[in-house]
């Protein structure tokens, strides 16, 4: 994946955890949408409704906790850097703890995206959603 690298590993520290979380939120959302389209071909409005059940702090925090034991030391450090970032944002209808875990997950996904690590992104996403969680929570059946 080196040829898909957006930034060099040495330059990654130039980006704040919140900037990487901003990007990681979009990357995670895209992966959820891709999975939904591939698994349950439905009208766009229905797909959107299903996606917002997965792209929120509570669902992302649950996913982040599934990953903790499989992260490399470097990935764990990035996750913790994002999770521990203090923001002035107060989560709406979400717990503060879930918000911090979700921010850590988004930071990690943004980091891996910037490094061009698509294979690793997909591996981690599959750990979170590959056991049918996405399907069972959306009410669709796996073929």
């Amino acid at each position: 994946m080196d040829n898909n690298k957006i930034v060099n590993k040495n330059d990654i520290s130039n980006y704040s955890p919140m900037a990487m979380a901003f990007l990681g939120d979009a990357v995670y959302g895209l992966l959820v949408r891709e999975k939904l389209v591939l698994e349950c071909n439905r009208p766009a409005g229905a797909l959107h409704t299903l996606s917002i059940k997965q792209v929120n702090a509570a669902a992302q925090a649950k996913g982040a906790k599934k990953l903790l034991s499989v992260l490399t030391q470097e990935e764990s450090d990035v996750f913790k850097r994002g999770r521990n970032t203090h923001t002035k944002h107060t989560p709406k209808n979400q717990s503060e703890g879930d918000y911090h875990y979700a921010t850590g997950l988004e930071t990690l996904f943004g980091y891996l995206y910037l490094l061009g690590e698509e294979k690793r992104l997909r591996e981690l996403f599959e750990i979170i959603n590959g056991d049918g969680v996405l399907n069972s929570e959306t009410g669709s059946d796996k073929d």
Side-chain angles (χ1 to χ4, degrees), residues 103-118:
T103 302
L105 178 71
E106 292 168 349
T107 301
L108 176 60
F109 273 57
Y111 171 83
L112 292 171
Y113 179 84
L114 286 173
L115 292 179
E117 297 288 342
E118 183 179 351

Side-chain angles (χ1 to χ4, degrees), residues 35-72:
K35 187 170 181 72
L36 286 171
V37 166
L38 295 174
E39 290 184 353
C40 52
N41 186 15
R42 296 182 185 181
L47 291 170
H48 174 72
T49 300
L50 296 173
S51 75
I52 59 175
K53 291 179 182 179
Q54 298 302 316
V55 185
N56 64 65
Q60 289 176 314
K62 184 178 177 182
K65 291 172 184 173
K66 286 176 138 181
L67 295 181
L68 294 179
S69 65
V70 300
L71 296 179
T72 66

Side-chain angles (χ1 to χ4, degrees), residues 70-118:
V70 300
L71 296 179
T72 66
Q73 184 61 52
E74 181 181 333
E75 291 167 346
S76 181
D77 291 345
V78 170
F79 170 81
K80 288 175 185 174
R81 189 172 161 222
R83 183 195 64 197
N84 296 336
T85 297
H86 296 286
T87 66
K88 294 180 182 177
H89 177 74
T90 303
K92 191 175 194 177
N93 301 321
Q94 305 288 329
S95 80
E96 193 169 333
D98 283 352
Y99 178 75
H100 286 290
Y101 268 84
T103 302
L105 178 71
E106 292 168 349
T107 301
L108 176 60
F109 273 57
Y111 171 83
L112 292 171
Y113 179 84
L114 286 173
L115 292 179
E117 297 288 342
E118 183 179 351

